[in-house]
Amino acid sequence: MTETKQIQLAELVSALSYALDLTEGQPAGHSVRACWIGIHIGMELGFDPSALTELYYAILLKDVGCSSNAARICQLYVTDDLTMKAAAKYLDHTPPQFLWYLISHAGMKKNLVERFRIIIETALKTGEIAHELTDTRCHRGANIARTMRFSEAVAQGITDLDEHWDGRGQPAGKREMEISLIARVALVAQVADVFFTGGGATKAMSEVERRSGTWFDPRVVEALQTVARDQAFWHSLADPLLQQRLVAYETIKASHPVDEDYLDDIAAAFAEVIDAKTPFTSGHSDRVALFSDLIAGELGLDAAHRRRIRRAALLHDIGKLGVSNSILDKPGSLEPAEWEEVKRHPSLGEVILRRIGAFSELAEVAAQHHERLDGTGYPRQLSGDAIGLESRIVAVADVFDALTADRPYRKAMSAERAIEIIDGMVPAGLDASCVAGLKIALKSLDSEARAA
């Protein structure tokens, strides 16, 4: 791996926002388009460059806490969280509309009696459920933004995203000027993009105007109305180079070079997003990073190489943000179609990381960490030397942590038993030198623990 080239924070965050679109069930580029809309509203409202920069990052990161409620959505509604979330973006939460939403999505694989029970139970607890899900998402998202070194204004914009002008939003029931102005703009931008993508500019403006004074600050809606008179504004949302235009715009306003330490922090923050997707992977990415680093050390790799392997391990499962928790948390055997969905996550991860200059080399690890040396892995059935050393290291660490942690379909096993299984995967599946490195490192850790 080579040294990281200098990268602007704008490029990094806008590219990572595509991962957040996945976990919200949104079309690729939703956060980027919402950001473009929001920035134009901000300019119309007279935001200064500093405020525009904070708005920029708050919108790109507005969904950074969304993975944390995915498992709960599946549990409550007994359905696919990605579909449920995508459909929820079209709701205005009037009782008839919300009831139809439940009828259309809740408990779809259950029999009629069970579905009816789920619908009634969730309908009766609508307010309580909305508060729980939104509170989890908003506060976790704000904390992750702080971990990524963003300002309190950005964090507050994420916290207040689902508050409504009339005080009927979540999670705190704030109203009017109590709500962060960044959040007021971000919510309008989010809804405008959802309806623009689904039905065009006329539909987007109709929906935004209909919610003015209830969901939305009327002054923010008026600013969008002014911006929307220019047809070039709407055409730009379909520009395949919109992300690059957005990055160039922000860079002019405020240059934020990202150094190696900051890249570590961002990788660690997104590992939190990934692992929050399911309760069964809490801490998984951090542990895989630790085991990968230990293996790399035993193989004699230098400090810079080990650092990049740790980042690769932290982000190896980023593609799982695009897989429903109804599959990830399923306690029994997967259906063939469900297994195919799981097998997509390495490719999804590769696509996301390839967008980011500083992380593009890590994309290979995301793509290959489930490949096996004999060609029986996925998604591309690579074999032998076609699988990179970094991928082989992370593969061993990933298998070891998976075996020694609880999973929906089985309890955790001991480290000794896990090593026995891993030994049986050499040399057909896993690299012998990487497995040997793990065993030596584990023995060293055990000796240190006994001596302490």
Side-chain angles (χ1 to χ4, degrees):
M1 290 186 177
T2 59
E3 281 297 311
T4 301
K5 297 177 182 178
Q6 190 178 73
I7 180 176
Q8 295 298 323
L9 185 58
E11 177 192 347
L12 183 60
V13 176
S14 62
L16 284 171
S17 74
Y18 283 79
L20 305 181
D21 296 340
L22 284 177
T23 196
E24 278 295 275
Q26 289 300 301
H30 161 67
S31 297
V32 165
R33 291 189 299 273
C35 186
W36 186 260
I37 294 168
I39 287 296
H40 282 77
I41 294 173
M43 288 190 292
E44 183 61 31
L45 290 171
F47 279 32
D48 63 29
S50 175
L52 279 174
T53 299
E54 289 174 329
L55 175 65
Y56 177 99
Y57 287 115
I59 296 179
L60 287 175
L61 293 170
K62 67 186 178 66
D63 294 325
V64 75
C66 287
S67 64
S68 60
N69 63 21
R72 184 64 172 144
I73 287 172
C74 283
Q75 181 185 48
L76 287 168
Y77 299 112
V78 196
T79 192
D80 169 10
D81 58 298
L82 300 181
T83 302
M84 202 81 178
K85 286 185 173 187
K89 287 288 196 291
Y90 290 93
L91 291 177
D92 62 7
H93 296 290
T94 55
Q97 191 187 60
F98 188 74
L99 182 59
W100 179 247
Y101 166 73
L102 291 178
I103 291 170
S104 302
H105 296 92
M108 292 300 290
K109 292 187 177 180
K110 298 293 183 178
N111 61 47
L112 189 60
V113 173
E114 186 65 11
R115 282 197 66 213
F116 184 72
R117 182 192 63 77
I118 293 166
I119 290 165
I120 294 299
E121 285 184 358
T122 52
L124 290 174
K125 296 189 291 185
T126 296
E128 177 186 334
I129 290 171
H131 176 80
E132 175 195 345
L133 296 176
T134 309
D135 187 63
T136 299
R137 186 189 79 163
C138 291
H139 285 100
R140 186 173 183 86
N143 285 335
I144 292 172
R146 294 183 185 104
T147 299
M148 296 173 73
R149 306 188 195 177
F150 288 104
S151 69
E152 194 57 31
V154 172
Q156 195 60 54
I158 295 169
T159 300
D160 288 355
L161 178 66
D162 289 306
E163 302 289 357
H164 295 169
W165 184 251
D166 62 5
R168 297 182 181 181
Q170 297 290 347
K174 294 182 180 179
R175 60 183 300 119
E176 299 186 1
M177 306 303 285
E178 296 173 342
I179 306 167
S180 156
L181 179 55
I182 287 175
R184 282 180 263 154
V185 173
L187 184 59
V188 170
Q190 170 177 278
V191 172
D193 177 64
V194 167
F195 283 92
F196 169 77
T197 303
T202 300
K203 179 62 177 173
M205 289 310 301
S206 173
E207 195 62 33
V208 168
E209 289 163 356
R210 186 173 70 84
R211 302 186 195 193
S212 180
T214 53
W215 278 42
F216 303 143
D217 178 348
R219 188 167 67 101
V220 176
V221 173
E222 288 170 7
L224 179 58
Q225 288 171 324
T226 301
V227 169
R229 295 190 187 111
D230 183 0
Q231 287 303 306
F233 164 75
W234 296 109
H235 293 319
S236 66
L237 294 175
D239 185 348
L241 299 178
L242 183 61
Q243 182 195 341
Q244 290 89 322
R245 293 175 65 184
L246 195 63
V247 168
Y249 166 77
E250 198 279 339
T251 305
I252 292 169
K253 294 295 182 184
S255 180
H256 294 283
V258 179
D259 62 17
E260 295 286 342
D261 289 341
Y262 202 172
L263 282 174
D264 289 340
D265 288 347
I266 289 173
F270 262 78
E272 285 188 48
V273 178
I274 297 162
D275 290 351
K277 175 75 169 157
T278 165
F280 295 99
T281 57
S282 178
H284 170 68
S285 298
D286 283 333
R287 292 190 299 272
V288 172
L290 170 62
F291 298 138
S292 295
D293 184 54
L294 292 173
I295 295 168
E298 294 299 332
L299 294 179
L301 302 184
D302 63 34
H305 201 164
R306 288 174 66 175
R307 187 177 210 173
R308 284 167 176 75
I309 288 174
R310 287 196 300 271
R311 286 183 199 148
L314 286 170
L315 298 171
H316 75 284
D317 268 343
I318 197 168
K320 281 190 175 177
L321 294 175
V323 181
S324 172
N325 279 67
S326 62
I327 296 173
L328 294 178
D329 296 341
K330 187 174 179 179
S333 300
L334 297 180
E335 300 293 333
E338 294 172 332
W339 178 233
E340 289 303 314
E341 279 297 299
V342 171
K343 288 164 66 175
R344 287 178 60 236
H345 83 267
S347 299
L348 287 174
E350 180 183 23
V351 169
I352 292 164
L353 295 176
R354 289 266 183 235
R355 292 179 176 274
I356 309 164
F359 288 165
S360 60
E361 289 178 323
L362 312 185
E364 179 180 280
V365 177
Q368 295 182 1
H369 71 280
H370 282 294
E371 300 288 356
R372 295 296 177 255
L373 295 175
D374 62 0
T376 61
Y378 63 86
R380 299 190 178 115
Q381 293 80 53
L382 300 179
S383 62
D385 292 341
I387 304 170
L389 175 61
E390 297 82 12
S391 303
R392 299 180 190 210
I393 290 171
V394 173
V396 171
D398 186 38
V399 171
F400 179 73
D401 186 66
L403 292 173
T404 55
D406 286 338
R407 285 292 184 263
Y409 44 86
R410 59 152 177 80
K411 299 297 289 182
M413 61 183 66
S414 68
E416 293 76 14
R417 176 57 184 147
I419 289 296
E420 288 178 8
I421 292 174
I422 287 173
D423 277 338
M425 299 173 72
V426 175
L430 300 177
D431 183 284
S433 63
C434 295
V435 171
L438 175 65
K439 291 160 74 172
I440 293 169
L442 291 175
K443 285 181 180 178
S444 297
L445 289 176
D446 184 58
S447 296
E448 290 174 10
R450 291 175 185 275

